[in-house]
Amino acid sequence: MYMTTPALHTIIKLPEPTLHRLPWYLAYVKIMQAQGVEHISSTQIAKAINVDASQIAKDLSFVNISGKTRVGYEVNTLVNVLEHFLGFNSQHKAIVYGVGRLGAALMHDSGLAQYGLEIVAGFDVRAMKQNNINGIPLYSVNEFSKKREELDAQIGILTVPVEKAQECADYMIANGIKAIWNFTPYRLQAPKHIVIQDTSIYAHLAVMFNRLNNIRGEEEK
Amino acid sequence: MYMTTPALHTIIKLPEPTLHRLPWYLAYVKIMQAQGVEHISSTQIAKAINVDASQIAKDLSFVNISGKTRVGYEVNTLVNVLEHFLGFNSQHKAIVYGVGRLGAALMHDSGLAQYGLEIVAGFDVRAMKQNNINGIPLYSVNEFSKKREELDAQIGILTVPVEKAQECADYMIANGIKAIWNFTPYRLQAPKHIVIQDTSIYAHLAVMFNRLNNIRGEEEK
């Protein structure tokens, strides 16, 4: 079995590329688990997801798990350790700030809870027709300070129009938010002790269009 | 004025970090444009979005625009050049494959069209109650091959359950899709000439949790 210390993932600082790859391993190993596979080697994972086997072994060494020669990793243990390590099996309370299409979609996405994110409230500057989405209460931003404290949410999901991004981020931080999951394409400024996680889907679009056009360009040569 | 060649962004291959930063510049410069600002320097952009001014000047040199000493870049030109370069002002036809919560939310997101992505159809393996979402037609995956060709869509947005990801990607590629925008945490395998753009929001969650826990750990020391 693996070592469990309650604060395991609070202590170890991982390289960010490793943190980006671990969910790929987890996703694949969970599929194998559902198929009843009991052991899996880094070579098998490597073949399935197209990452170098030595890279996988190195990444997994960070999470305090080691495979057995010829047998590989025990699948159930690997799933548990990765979920624990990535923070997916403890709930992190979050609020949605800006309940437009995207904000509302996130409040509907029950997948997030499986990955450790519990959305406990939504806030918007506009008057809203309903008082909840998917059972999650909606409030006016005027109630933000009070409700955030009551709910003890540390994560703010920022889904406002881009021109309001910095102002709303500042407001959340001033009222106790410690981490911002930023879905706007705006590059936020924040104090050092605040975590900013950018997920700008539009930036990904630009990268995709550029690659697609490069491939077309090469084919036309 | 700047040089426009119709296929400008098909020719130049940009470093990916530059491609990720350009949308930040665009987002900020558009806000300034809306406020009536006519000229802007890389130093001003740098200050606002916390990226080194020399980095900004270097990134912008890739897109064939140069600022004037003491005056900076012309804001309208900069917006046009960046949008053109990023592919945001030409429409790229896409289909959604897997019309669950996330797929449906993307079909509702009118923001995507502003960034050059036109969703022309949704496909699902399940029988659907409605025949469109937001005016965009829904079809059974059985009709994929025929409809994809009729619609001439080259981009497939993959929003299926993770265990179906590879199988559905293979199917789309076999039926003419050239680029896959992958919202699952699965690491897809695909031929070299196919573009895979990963936007795994769950991987971003893991990175955010880890950073948040590291900060907490440091504060508790």
Coordinates of all heavy atoms in Angstrom, one line a residue, chain B residues 19-92:
Chain B
L19 N 1.8 32.5 -29.4 CA 0.4 32.3 -29.8 C -0.5 32.4 -28.5 O -1.7 32.8 -28.6 CB 0.2 31.0 -30.4 CG 0.2 31.0 -32.0 CD1 0.1 29.6 -32.5 CD2 -0.9 31.8 -32.5
H20 N 0.0 31.9 -27.4 CA -0.8 32.0 -26.2 C -0.9 33.4 -25.6 O -1.9 33.7 -25.0 CB -0.2 31.0 -25.1 CG -0.7 29.6 -25.2 ND1 -2.0 29.3 -24.7 CD2 -0.2 28.5 -25.7 CE1 -2.2 28.0 -25.0 NE2 -1.1 27.5 -25.6
R21 N 0.1 34.2 -25.8 CA 0.1 35.6 -25.3 C -0.6 36.5 -26.2 O -1.2 37.5 -25.7 CB 1.6 36.0 -25.1 CG 2.3 35.4 -23.9 CD 3.6 36.1 -23.6 NE 4.6 35.9 -24.7 CZ 5.5 34.9 -24.7 NH1 5.6 34.1 -23.7 NH2 6.3 34.7 -25.8
L22 N -0.6 36.3 -27.5 CA -1.3 37.3 -28.4 C -2.7 37.6 -28.0 O -3.1 38.7 -28.0 CB -1.2 36.8 -29.8 CG 0.2 36.8 -30.5 CD1 0.2 36.3 -31.9 CD2 0.8 38.3 -30.4
P23 N -3.5 36.6 -27.6 CA -4.9 36.9 -27.2 C -5.0 37.8 -26.0 O -6.0 38.5 -25.8 CB -5.5 35.5 -26.9 CG -4.7 34.6 -27.8 CD -3.3 35.1 -27.7
W24 N -4.0 37.7 -25.1 CA -4.0 38.6 -23.9 C -3.9 40.1 -24.4 O -4.5 41.0 -23.9 CB -2.8 38.3 -23.0 CG -2.8 37.0 -22.3 CD1 -3.8 36.2 -22.2 CD2 -1.7 36.4 -21.7 NE1 -3.4 35.1 -21.5 CE2 -2.1 35.2 -21.2 CE3 -0.3 36.8 -21.5 CZ2 -1.3 34.3 -20.5 CZ3 0.5 35.9 -20.9 CH2 0.1 34.7 -20.3
Y25 N -2.9 40.2 -25.4 CA -2.7 41.6 -25.9 C -4.0 42.1 -26.6 O -4.4 43.2 -26.4 CB -1.5 41.7 -26.9 CG -0.2 41.0 -26.4 CD1 0.7 40.5 -27.3 CD2 0.0 40.8 -25.1 CE1 1.9 39.9 -26.9 CE2 1.2 40.2 -24.6 CZ 2.1 39.8 -25.6 OH 3.3 39.2 -25.2
L26 N -4.5 41.2 -27.4 CA -5.7 41.6 -28.1 C -6.9 42.0 -27.1 O -7.5 43.0 -27.3 CB -6.2 40.4 -29.0 CG -7.5 40.7 -29.8 CD1 -7.4 41.9 -30.7 CD2 -7.9 39.4 -30.6
A27 N -7.1 41.2 -26.1 CA -8.1 41.5 -25.2 C -7.9 42.8 -24.5 O -8.9 43.6 -24.4 CB -8.2 40.4 -24.1
Y28 N -6.7 43.1 -24.1 CA -6.4 44.4 -23.5 C -6.6 45.6 -24.5 O -7.2 46.6 -24.2 CB -5.0 44.4 -22.9 CG -4.7 45.7 -22.2 CD1 -5.4 46.1 -21.1 CD2 -3.8 46.6 -22.8 CE1 -5.2 47.4 -20.5 CE2 -3.5 47.8 -22.2 CZ -4.2 48.2 -21.1 OH -4.0 49.4 -20.5
V29 N -6.0 45.4 -25.7 CA -6.0 46.5 -26.6 C -7.5 46.8 -27.1 O -7.9 47.9 -27.3 CB -5.1 46.2 -27.8 CG1 -5.2 47.3 -28.9 CG2 -3.7 46.0 -27.4
K30 N -8.3 45.8 -27.1 CA -9.7 46.0 -27.5 C -10.5 46.8 -26.4 O -11.4 47.6 -26.7 CB -10.5 44.6 -27.7 CG -10.2 44.1 -29.1 CD -10.9 42.7 -29.3 CE -12.4 42.9 -29.7 NZ -12.9 41.6 -30.2
I31 N -10.1 46.5 -25.2 CA -10.7 47.3 -24.1 C -10.3 48.8 -24.2 O -11.1 49.7 -24.1 CB -10.3 46.8 -22.7 CG1 -10.9 45.4 -22.5 CG2 -10.7 47.7 -21.6 CD1 -10.4 44.7 -21.3
M32 N -9.0 49.0 -24.5 CA -8.5 50.4 -24.8 C -9.2 51.0 -26.0 O -9.6 52.2 -25.9 CB -7.0 50.4 -25.0 CG -6.2 50.0 -23.8 SD -6.4 51.1 -22.3 CE -7.6 50.2 -21.3
Q33 N -9.4 50.2 -27.0 CA -10.1 50.7 -28.2 C -11.5 51.2 -27.9 O -12.0 52.3 -28.3 CB -10.2 49.6 -29.2 CG -10.8 50.0 -30.6 CD -10.9 48.8 -31.5 OE1 -11.3 47.7 -31.1 NE2 -10.6 49.0 -32.8
A34 N -12.2 50.4 -27.0 CA -13.6 50.7 -26.6 C -13.6 52.0 -25.8 O -14.6 52.7 -25.8 CB -14.2 49.6 -25.9
Q35 N -12.5 52.3 -25.2 CA -12.4 53.6 -24.4 C -11.9 54.7 -25.2 O -11.7 55.8 -24.7 CB -11.5 53.4 -23.2 CG -12.0 52.4 -22.2 CD -11.1 52.1 -21.0 OE1 -10.0 52.8 -20.9 NE2 -11.4 51.1 -20.2
G36 N -11.7 54.5 -26.5 CA -11.4 55.6 -27.4 C -9.9 55.9 -27.5 O -9.5 56.9 -28.1
V37 N -9.0 55.0 -26.9 CA -7.6 55.2 -27.0 C -7.1 55.0 -28.4 O -7.6 54.0 -29.1 CB -6.9 54.3 -26.0 CG1 -5.4 54.3 -26.2 CG2 -7.3 54.6 -24.6
E38 N -6.2 55.9 -29.0 CA -5.8 55.8 -30.4 C -4.5 55.1 -30.5 O -4.2 54.5 -31.5 CB -5.9 57.1 -31.0 CG -7.3 57.6 -31.2 CD -7.4 58.9 -32.0 OE1 -6.4 59.4 -32.4 OE2 -8.5 59.4 -32.1
H39 N -3.6 55.4 -29.6 CA -2.2 54.8 -29.7 C -1.9 54.1 -28.3 O -2.3 54.6 -27.3 CB -1.2 55.9 -30.0 CG -1.3 56.3 -31.4 ND1 -2.1 57.4 -31.8 CD2 -0.7 55.9 -32.6 CE1 -2.0 57.6 -33.1 NE2 -1.2 56.7 -33.6
I40 N -1.0 53.1 -28.4 CA -0.6 52.4 -27.2 C 0.8 51.9 -27.4 O 1.1 51.4 -28.5 CB -1.7 51.3 -26.9 CG1 -1.5 50.8 -25.4 CG2 -1.5 50.1 -27.8 CD1 -2.7 50.1 -24.9
S41 N 1.6 52.0 -26.3 CA 3.0 51.5 -26.4 C 3.1 50.1 -25.8 O 2.2 49.7 -25.0 CB 3.9 52.4 -25.7 OG 3.6 52.4 -24.3
S42 N 4.1 49.4 -26.1 CA 4.3 48.1 -25.5 C 4.5 48.2 -24.0 O 4.2 47.3 -23.2 CB 5.5 47.3 -26.2 OG 6.6 48.1 -26.2
T43 N 5.1 49.4 -23.6 CA 5.3 49.6 -22.2 C 4.0 49.7 -21.4 O 3.8 49.2 -20.3 CB 6.1 50.9 -21.9 OG1 7.2 51.0 -22.9 CG2 6.6 51.0 -20.5
Q44 N 3.0 50.4 -22.1 CA 1.7 50.5 -21.5 C 1.0 49.2 -21.4 O 0.4 48.8 -20.4 CB 0.8 51.4 -22.3 CG 1.1 52.9 -22.1 CD 0.3 53.7 -23.2 OE1 0.6 53.7 -24.3 NE2 -0.7 54.5 -22.7
I45 N 1.1 48.4 -22.5 CA 0.5 47.0 -22.4 C 1.1 46.2 -21.3 O 0.5 45.5 -20.5 CB 0.6 46.3 -23.8 CG1 0.0 47.2 -24.9 CG2 0.0 44.9 -23.8 CD1 0.2 46.6 -26.3
A46 N 2.5 46.3 -21.3 CA 3.3 45.5 -20.3 C 2.8 45.8 -18.9 O 2.6 44.9 -18.1 CB 4.7 45.9 -20.4
K47 N 2.6 47.1 -18.6 CA 2.2 47.5 -17.2 C 0.8 47.0 -16.9 O 0.6 46.5 -15.8 CB 2.2 49.1 -17.2 CG 2.5 49.6 -15.8 CD 2.5 51.1 -15.8 CE 2.2 51.6 -14.4 NZ 2.0 53.1 -14.3
A48 N -0.1 47.0 -17.9 CA -1.4 46.6 -17.6 C -1.6 45.1 -17.4 O -2.4 44.6 -16.6 CB -2.4 47.1 -18.8
I49 N -0.8 44.3 -18.2 CA -1.1 42.9 -18.2 C 0.1 42.1 -17.6 O 0.1 40.9 -17.6 CB -1.5 42.3 -19.5 CG1 -0.3 42.4 -20.5 CG2 -2.7 43.0 -20.1 CD1 -0.6 41.6 -21.8
N50 N 1.1 42.8 -17.1 CA 2.2 42.1 -16.4 C 3.0 41.1 -17.2 O 3.3 40.0 -16.8 CB 1.6 41.4 -15.1 CG 2.6 41.1 -14.1 OD1 3.6 41.8 -14.0 ND2 2.3 40.2 -13.2
V51 N 3.3 41.5 -18.4 CA 4.2 40.8 -19.3 C 5.3 41.8 -19.6 O 5.1 43.0 -19.8 CB 3.5 40.3 -20.6 CG1 4.5 39.7 -21.5 CG2 2.4 39.3 -20.3
D52 N 6.6 41.3 -19.7 CA 7.7 42.1 -20.0 C 7.5 42.9 -21.4 O 7.1 42.3 -22.4 CB 8.9 41.2 -20.1 CG 10.2 42.0 -20.0 OD1 10.4 42.7 -18.9 OD2 11.0 42.0 -20.9
A53 N 7.8 44.2 -21.4 CA 7.6 45.0 -22.6 C 8.4 44.5 -23.7 O 8.0 44.5 -24.9 CB 8.0 46.5 -22.3
S54 N 9.7 44.0 -23.5 CA 10.5 43.6 -24.6 C 9.9 42.3 -25.2 O 10.0 42.0 -26.4 CB 11.9 43.3 -24.1 OG 12.0 42.4 -23.1
Q55 N 9.3 41.5 -24.3 CA 8.6 40.3 -24.8 C 7.4 40.6 -25.7 O 7.2 40.0 -26.7 CB 8.1 39.5 -23.6 CG 7.4 38.2 -23.9 CD 8.3 37.1 -24.5 OE1 9.2 36.6 -23.8 NE2 8.2 36.8 -25.8
I56 N 6.7 41.6 -25.3 CA 5.5 42.1 -26.1 C 6.0 42.6 -27.4 O 5.4 42.2 -28.5 CB 4.8 43.2 -25.3 CG1 4.1 42.6 -24.1 CG2 3.7 43.8 -26.2 CD1 3.4 43.6 -23.2
A57 N 7.1 43.4 -27.5 CA 7.6 43.9 -28.7 C 8.0 42.8 -29.6 O 7.8 42.8 -30.8 CB 8.7 44.9 -28.4
K58 N 8.7 41.8 -29.0 CA 9.2 40.7 -29.8 C 8.0 39.9 -30.4 O 8.0 39.5 -31.5 CB 10.0 39.8 -28.9 CG 10.9 38.8 -29.6 CD 11.7 37.9 -28.7 CE 12.2 36.7 -29.4 NZ 12.7 35.7 -28.5
D59 N 7.0 39.6 -29.5 CA 5.8 38.8 -30.0 C 5.1 39.6 -31.1 O 4.7 39.0 -32.1 CB 4.8 38.6 -28.8 CG 5.3 37.6 -27.8 OD1 6.1 36.8 -28.1 OD2 4.7 37.6 -26.7
L60 N 5.0 40.9 -31.0 CA 4.3 41.7 -32.0 C 5.1 41.8 -33.3 O 4.5 42.0 -34.4 CB 3.9 43.1 -31.4 CG 2.8 43.1 -30.3 CD1 2.5 44.5 -29.9 CD2 1.5 42.4 -30.8
S61 N 6.4 41.6 -33.2 CA 7.2 41.7 -34.4 C 6.9 40.5 -35.3 O 7.0 40.6 -36.5 CB 8.7 41.7 -34.1 OG 9.1 40.5 -33.6
F62 N 6.4 39.4 -34.7 CA 6.0 38.2 -35.5 C 4.8 38.5 -36.4 O 4.6 37.9 -37.4 CB 5.6 37.0 -34.6 CG 6.8 36.3 -34.1 CD1 7.1 36.3 -32.7 CD2 7.6 35.5 -34.9 CE1 8.2 35.6 -32.2 CE2 8.6 34.7 -34.4 CZ 8.9 34.8 -33.1
V63 N 4.0 39.4 -35.9 CA 2.7 39.6 -36.6 C 2.8 40.8 -37.6 O 1.8 41.3 -38.0 CB 1.5 39.8 -35.7 CG1 1.3 38.6 -34.8 CG2 1.6 41.0 -34.8
N64 N 4.0 41.2 -37.9 CA 4.2 42.2 -39.0 C 3.6 43.6 -38.6 O 3.0 44.2 -39.4 CB 3.5 41.7 -40.3 CG 4.5 41.1 -41.2 OD1 5.7 41.1 -40.9 ND2 4.1 40.5 -42.3
I65 N 3.8 44.0 -37.4 CA 3.3 45.3 -37.1 C 4.5 46.0 -36.2 O 5.1 45.3 -35.4 CB 2.0 45.3 -36.3 CG1 1.5 46.7 -36.1 CG2 2.1 44.6 -34.9 CD1 0.1 46.8 -35.5
S66 N 4.7 47.2 -36.5 CA 5.7 47.9 -35.7 C 5.2 49.2 -35.2 O 4.4 49.9 -35.9 CB 7.0 48.1 -36.5 OG 6.7 48.7 -37.8
G67 N 5.5 49.5 -34.0 CA 5.1 50.8 -33.4 C 6.0 51.9 -33.8 O 7.1 51.7 -34.3
K68 N 5.5 53.2 -33.6 CA 6.3 54.3 -33.8 C 6.9 54.8 -32.5 O 6.2 54.8 -31.5 CB 5.5 55.5 -34.4 CG 5.2 55.3 -35.9 CD 4.4 56.4 -36.4 CE 3.6 56.1 -37.7 NZ 2.5 56.9 -37.9
T69 N 8.2 55.3 -32.6 CA 8.8 55.8 -31.4 C 7.9 56.9 -30.7 O 7.4 57.7 -31.4 CB 10.2 56.4 -31.7 OG1 10.8 55.5 -32.7 CG2 11.1 56.4 -30.5
R70 N 7.8 56.9 -29.4 CA 7.1 57.8 -28.6 C 5.6 57.8 -28.8 O 4.8 58.3 -28.0 CB 7.5 59.3 -28.9 CG 8.8 59.7 -28.2 CD 9.3 61.0 -28.8 NE 10.8 60.8 -29.1 CZ 11.7 61.3 -28.4 NH1 11.4 62.1 -27.3 NH2 13.0 61.1 -28.7
V71 N 5.1 57.2 -29.9 CA 3.6 57.2 -30.1 C 3.1 55.8 -29.8 O 2.0 55.6 -29.3 CB 3.3 57.6 -31.6 CG1 1.8 57.6 -31.8 CG2 3.9 58.9 -31.9
G72 N 3.8 54.8 -30.2 CA 3.4 53.4 -30.0 C 2.6 52.8 -31.2 O 2.7 53.4 -32.3
Y73 N 1.9 51.8 -30.9 CA 1.1 51.2 -32.0 C -0.3 51.9 -32.2 O -0.9 52.3 -31.2 CB 0.8 49.7 -31.6 CG 2.0 48.9 -31.3 CD1 2.4 48.7 -30.0 CD2 2.7 48.3 -32.4 CE1 3.6 47.9 -29.8 CE2 3.9 47.5 -32.2 CZ 4.3 47.4 -30.8 OH 5.4 46.6 -30.6
E74 N -0.7 51.9 -33.4 CA -2.1 52.5 -33.6 C -3.1 51.4 -33.2 O -3.0 50.2 -33.6 CB -2.2 52.7 -35.1 CG -3.3 53.8 -35.5 CD -3.6 53.8 -36.9 OE1 -2.7 53.7 -37.8 OE2 -4.8 53.9 -37.3
V75 N -4.0 51.8 -32.3 CA -4.8 50.8 -31.6 C -5.7 50.0 -32.6 O -5.8 48.8 -32.6 CB -5.7 51.4 -30.5 CG1 -6.8 50.5 -30.1 CG2 -4.8 51.8 -29.3
N76 N -6.4 50.8 -33.6 CA -7.3 50.1 -34.5 C -6.5 49.1 -35.4 O -7.0 48.0 -35.6 CB -8.0 51.1 -35.4 CG -9.0 51.9 -34.7 OD1 -9.5 51.5 -33.6 ND2 -9.3 53.1 -35.2
T77 N -5.3 49.5 -35.8 CA -4.5 48.6 -36.7 C -4.1 47.4 -35.9 O -4.2 46.3 -36.4 CB -3.3 49.4 -37.2 OG1 -3.7 50.6 -37.8 CG2 -2.5 48.5 -38.2
L78 N -3.7 47.6 -34.7 CA -3.2 46.5 -33.8 C -4.4 45.5 -33.6 O -4.1 44.3 -33.7 CB -2.7 47.0 -32.5 CG -2.0 46.1 -31.6 CD1 -0.9 45.3 -32.3 CD2 -1.4 46.9 -30.4
V79 N -5.6 46.0 -33.4 CA -6.7 45.1 -33.2 C -7.0 44.3 -34.5 O -7.1 43.0 -34.4 CB -8.0 45.8 -32.8 CG1 -9.2 45.0 -32.9 CG2 -7.9 46.4 -31.3
N80 N -7.0 45.0 -35.6 CA -7.2 44.3 -36.9 C -6.2 43.2 -37.2 O -6.5 42.1 -37.6 CB -7.2 45.3 -38.0 CG -8.5 46.1 -38.0 OD1 -9.5 45.7 -37.4 ND2 -8.5 47.3 -38.7
V81 N -4.9 43.6 -37.0 CA -3.8 42.7 -37.3 C -3.8 41.5 -36.4 O -3.7 40.4 -36.9 CB -2.4 43.4 -37.2 CG1 -1.3 42.4 -37.4 CG2 -2.3 44.5 -38.3
L82 N -4.1 41.7 -35.2 CA -4.1 40.6 -34.2 C -5.3 39.7 -34.5 O -5.1 38.4 -34.5 CB -4.1 41.1 -32.8 CG -2.8 41.6 -32.2 CD1 -3.0 42.2 -30.8 CD2 -1.8 40.5 -32.1
E83 N -6.4 40.2 -34.8 CA -7.6 39.4 -35.0 C -7.4 38.6 -36.3 O -7.7 37.4 -36.4 CB -8.9 40.3 -35.2 CG -9.3 40.8 -33.8 CD -10.7 41.4 -33.8 OE1 -11.1 41.9 -34.9 OE2 -11.4 41.4 -32.8
H84 N -6.9 39.3 -37.3 CA -6.6 38.6 -38.6 C -5.6 37.5 -38.4 O -5.8 36.3 -38.8 CB -6.1 39.6 -39.6 CG -5.7 39.0 -40.9 ND1 -6.6 38.4 -41.8 CD2 -4.4 38.7 -41.4 CE1 -6.0 37.9 -42.8 NE2 -4.7 38.1 -42.6
F85 N -4.5 37.8 -37.7 CA -3.4 36.9 -37.4 C -3.9 35.6 -36.6 O -3.5 34.5 -36.9 CB -2.3 37.6 -36.7 CG -1.0 36.9 -36.9 CD1 -0.2 37.1 -38.0 CD2 -0.6 35.9 -36.0 CE1 0.9 36.4 -38.2 CE2 0.5 35.2 -36.2 CZ 1.3 35.5 -37.3
L86 N -4.7 35.9 -35.6 CA -5.2 34.8 -34.8 C -6.3 34.0 -35.4 O -6.7 33.0 -34.8 CB -5.6 35.4 -33.4 CG -4.5 35.9 -32.5 CD1 -5.0 36.7 -31.4 CD2 -3.6 34.8 -32.0
G87 N -6.8 34.5 -36.5 CA -7.8 33.7 -37.2 C -9.2 34.0 -36.6 O -10.2 33.3 -36.9
F88 N -9.3 35.1 -35.9 CA -10.6 35.4 -35.2 C -11.6 36.2 -36.1 O -12.7 36.2 -35.8 CB -10.4 36.3 -33.9 CG -9.7 35.6 -32.8 CD1 -9.2 36.3 -31.7 CD2 -9.6 34.2 -32.8 CE1 -8.6 35.6 -30.6 CE2 -9.0 33.5 -31.7 CZ -8.5 34.3 -30.6
N89 N -11.1 36.8 -37.2 CA -12.0 37.5 -38.1 C -12.4 36.7 -39.3 O -13.0 37.3 -40.3 CB -11.7 38.9 -38.3 CG -10.3 39.0 -39.0 OD1 -9.7 38.0 -39.3 ND2 -9.9 40.2 -39.2
S90 N -12.0 35.4 -39.4 CA -12.6 34.6 -40.5 C -13.3 33.4 -39.7 O -12.8 33.0 -38.7 CB -11.5 34.1 -41.4 OG -10.5 33.5 -40.7
Q91 N -14.4 33.0 -40.3 CA -15.1 31.9 -39.6 C -14.6 30.5 -40.0 O -14.4 30.2 -41.1 CB -16.6 32.0 -39.9 CG -17.3 33.2 -39.3 CD -17.2 33.3 -37.8 OE1 -17.5 32.3 -37.1 NE2 -16.8 34.4 -37.2
H92 N -14.4 29.7 -38.9 CA -14.0 28.3 -39.1 C -15.1 27.4 -38.7 O -15.6 27.5 -37.6 CB -12.7 28.0 -38.2 CG -11.6 28.9 -38.5 ND1 -11.5 30.2 -38.1 CD2 -10.4 28.6 -39.1 CE1 -10.4 30.7 -38.5 NE2 -9.6 29.8 -39.1

